[in-house]
Amino acid sequence: MAATEPDVTNRTMRRIAIASGTGTVIEYYDFFIFATAAALVFPKVFFPALGSAAGVVASFATLGVAFVARPVGSVLFGHFGDRLGRKRTLVTTLLIMGLATALVGLMPTAEQIGVIAPILIVILRFLQGLAVGGEWTGATLMAAENAPKAKRGFWSMFGALGGSIGFVLASVTFLIIGETMSDETFHSYGWRIPFIASLLLIAIGLFVRLKIDETPVFKGEVSQRGTARAPFVEALKSQPREIAFASGVLVMTFAFYYLAVGYLINYGTAVLKLPRTTVLLIGIAAGLMFGLAIVLGAAYSDRVGRKKVILAGNAVAVVWALALFPILDSASAVTFAIGSCVTTLIAGFAYGPVGAFMPELFQTRYRYTATGFSYNVAGVLGGAVPPLVAAAITAAYGGFAFGIFLAVLCLISLGCTLALRETRNAEMSEPVKAPVQ
């Protein structure tokens, strides 16, 4: 049976895009305030006994826990997203993220309850990772499965754009709080305010998401063929090659982005000795550049194809990885701003088409699971590992050595993208091949 275009108006697509983007703004706001706090506060609040350097490593290790949890969350929520629907799953991920984030803001310090404090922080971070593991995929599919083919790249990028806005919002919140109170007050309780305040944003997100409908592509799949009994197993049997290579496409994007919004915040204040306010302002600028680049990359992919845009971003990233730390080590605010903003610009341009590219690779019956799993495996390789090893490599061998490590990750993304087909003309309601019986 021939595939049909989703019958949606621009007004409907705008409403879906708002719902998709609003939810990811909130989810990633929660996710990023943890990353910002891990760079600025957690080494002193939750890991004081480890000392300065080890405390930073332990603090960033808690970020890594979330990335390990994300593939687990993608399989868990992908299962329900492929069997029960995109909408129900998105509401669930939002609630889990909101509760975990608020509890971080209420957490006693290591001085108050000892080793239990960092253990609980790790558990809550794991829950955040589970929720985010299902969030981006569901939000992206809501747009991708509703959008007309000619503009699918553009409409599918709002989930990714929400992540950029969420980071900027998190940074602005920390900047305002940090500038309106002393360092002592900030480290005492000020850092908790963004976490607790997220409860208001969660309420807004739920209100928006409860008003959208299930995607017509999913409803059509259910009515015509039913749902997959075990989406993850079926995906691995049907499209193992696509899952393997798709898992490498975003390694560079994750590595560059989380380097810029996580590790470089600490690097700028602790190593380069730049003022915290300056570093946070530059981080906000980098987040805005990331969002702009997402829009450009997504829109351009509707004209020339997803693969060409992603390949261009990864190719430039190989060169930039080697140049980044020599530029940063001049230790001026200007070069730090250039390093941070160019890094997120490259990452965002390659990231823009992914909201359409990855869903277009997979069949509807296991699309939520396969897309989410591939996306979040890339998160482990690119988002968790580089910030965790960055401090050790730069301390032992210098920034250029870490740049070589980054360049290798960029080459992995480049090779994986080359191995996949162009998807710009794919039909979302038409299976790539017959399903496994």
Side-chain angles (χ1 to χ4, degrees):
M1 183 174 64
T4 58
E5 281 278 283
D7 184 19
V8 293
T9 64
N10 283 337
R11 180 179 180 182
T12 300
M13 281 309 307
R14 284 194 294 269
R15 181 165 56 85
I16 292 169
I18 290 171
S20 173
T22 300
T24 52
V25 165
I26 296 163
E27 292 254 17
Y28 280 92
Y29 165 82
D30 290 351
F31 201 71
F32 288 136
I33 58 175
F34 193 106
T36 305
L40 298 176
V41 179
F42 286 179
K44 297 178 181 178
V45 174
F46 294 112
F47 304 99
L50 298 179
S52 178
V56 170
V57 172
S59 185
F60 280 108
T62 62
L63 299 182
V65 168
F67 285 103
V68 173
R70 284 172 69 158
V72 179
S74 70
V75 175
L76 174 64
F77 292 113
H79 179 86
F80 293 111
D82 283 322
R83 287 187 58 80
L84 302 179
R86 296 23 173 155
K87 177 180 175 177
R88 295 184 190 179
T89 307
L90 282 174
V91 170
T92 303
T93 60
L94 194 62
L95 287 172
I96 292 174
M97 175 63 84
L99 178 61
T101 303
L103 288 175
V104 171
L106 299 172
M107 184 62 56
T109 66
E111 183 179 346
Q112 294 170 319
I113 60 173
V115 71
I116 296 176
I119 292 174
L120 291 176
I121 283 293
V122 169
I123 293 172
L124 292 174
R125 186 59 173 174
F126 187 85
L127 289 174
Q128 282 192 324
L130 283 179
V132 170
E135 165 61 29
W136 177 88
T137 313
T140 298
L141 292 189
M142 287 298 298
E145 291 185 343
N146 277 288
K149 186 199 304 182
K151 294 290 184 181
R152 192 183 296 140
F154 174 78
W155 289 115
S156 299
M157 62 91 182
F158 281 89
L161 189 62
S164 170
I165 297 171
F167 168 71
V168 171
L169 182 60
S171 297
V172 169
T173 303
F174 267 102
L175 181 64
I176 292 172
I177 291 172
E179 289 302 299
T180 54
M181 59 182 62
S182 66
D183 284 347
E184 181 180 353
T185 304
F186 178 76
H187 284 87
S188 175
Y189 68 84
W191 65 271
R192 299 178 182 274
I193 297 174
F195 289 90
I196 299 172
S198 69
L199 288 173
L200 176 61
L201 295 178
I202 295 298
I204 296 172
L206 285 174
F207 175 78
V208 172
R209 284 199 168 165
L210 288 171
K211 287 185 169 293
I212 59 175
D213 296 325
E214 186 55 76
T215 73
V217 172
F218 177 78
K219 288 190 289 187
E221 179 72 14
V222 172
S223 66
Q224 294 173 26
R225 294 168 48 195
T227 59
R229 296 183 62 183
F232 184 59
V233 174
E234 187 170 323
L236 288 178
K237 287 181 178 180
S238 299
Q239 294 185 266
R241 181 182 182 277
E242 286 83 355
I243 290 174
F245 287 119
S247 297
V249 168
L250 275 171
V251 168
M252 178 281 290
T253 295
F254 275 110
F256 270 35
Y257 186 64
Y258 282 98
L259 181 74
V261 305
Y263 176 70
L264 289 189
I265 293 177
N266 180 268
Y267 191 81
T269 54
V271 178
L272 303 181
K273 306 300 181 183
L274 296 173
R276 184 179 68 193
T277 300
T278 300
V279 171
L280 286 175
L281 284 171
I282 291 172
I284 292 169
L288 292 172
M289 291 299 292
F290 185 66
L292 175 62
I294 287 173
V295 176
L296 293 175
Y300 198 52
S301 78
D302 282 327
R303 297 178 58 189
V304 303
R306 325 294 184 212
K307 190 171 175 178
K308 288 181 181 179
V309 174
I310 299 171
L311 284 173
N314 283 316
V316 173
V318 174
V319 179
W320 181 249
L322 299 175
L324 176 58
F325 277 87
I327 291 172
L328 292 176
D329 287 342
S330 63
S332 74
V334 173
T335 54
F336 184 78
I338 292 172
S340 297
C341 290
V342 173
T343 299
T344 55
L345 182 67
I346 295 170
F349 187 72
Y351 189 33
V354 169
F357 182 60
M358 295 185 75
E360 288 167 344
L361 287 170
F362 300 109
Q363 296 182 43
T364 303
R365 58 192 289 106
Y366 51 71
R367 181 175 290 136
Y368 201 127
T369 300
T371 300
F373 183 74
S374 301
Y375 179 86
N376 287 292
V377 168
V380 174
L381 299 175
V385 176
L388 187 60
V389 303
I393 293 177
T394 54
Y397 305 106
F400 186 73
F402 183 65
I404 295 174
F405 175 78
L406 286 177
V408 171
L409 296 181
C410 298
L411 287 171
I412 291 173
S413 289
L414 190 66
C416 288
T417 306
L418 282 169
L420 292 168
R421 61 186 173 84
E422 176 56 60
T423 63
R424 178 167 54 125
N425 294 317
E427 300 289 351
M428 296 297 285
S429 58
E430 184 176 81
V432 176
K433 55 185 176 180
V436 174
Q437 297 297 321

